[in-house]
Amino acid sequence: MVRFDGVRMHRLMQAVGASGENVTAIALNDYTTDLPIADFERYGVLLAMKRDGVYMPVRDKGPLFIVYPYDSKPELRAQQYYSRSAWQVAKLVVK
């Protein structure tokens, strides 16, 4: 089992005063995915910076990785949610 540490996305949205319905995550390789803001609190989506206590380098999904709790919520084990996880996140755009 792998442990990720970081910031809960719903808390990040609160901290920056974000309003909107979706967030577009843009990765260093220009991969983009849209995430419903409603997912953040409902599922405890994490913007991870560390895996097993160690900061993630770019070559290993860092510096930031959007992680859904796939292990604890079986309903998330679907392509719809897998595609919302993004690694090497460089930018988040609230819409």
Side-chain angles (χ1 to χ4, degrees):
M1 185 160 222
V2 176
R3 188 184 98 227
F4 289 99
D5 297 303
V7 177
R8 298 277 178 199
M9 289 289 288
H10 78 275
R11 292 189 190 262
L12 177 62
M13 295 297 109
Q14 289 173 341
V16 300
S19 61
E21 295 184 19
N22 294 292
V23 170
T24 299
I26 304 166
L28 292 172
N29 66 357
D30 294 325
Y31 174 80
T32 63
T33 187
D34 291 317
L35 302 103
I37 288 177
D39 278 5
F40 298 166
E41 192 164 3
R42 178 185 298 148
Y43 298 121
V45 178
L46 186 69
L47 183 61
M49 295 174 269
K50 293 181 179 181
R51 182 178 44 244
D52 293 329
V54 178
Y55 285 101
M56 294 180 290
V58 170
R59 72 180 185 283
D60 195 17
K61 296 190 170 52
L64 301 170
F65 183 11
I66 296 172
V67 181
Y68 278 73
Y70 300 111
D71 291 341
S72 62
K73 298 193 183 298
E75 70 268 24
L76 297 176
R77 296 180 198 149
Q79 188 58 40
Q80 170 185 351
Y81 296 101
Y82 291 139
S83 68
R84 293 178 187 170
S85 284
W87 52 85
Q88 297 180 332
V89 174
K91 187 191 299 188
L92 299 171
V93 179
V94 179
K95 299 179 184 179

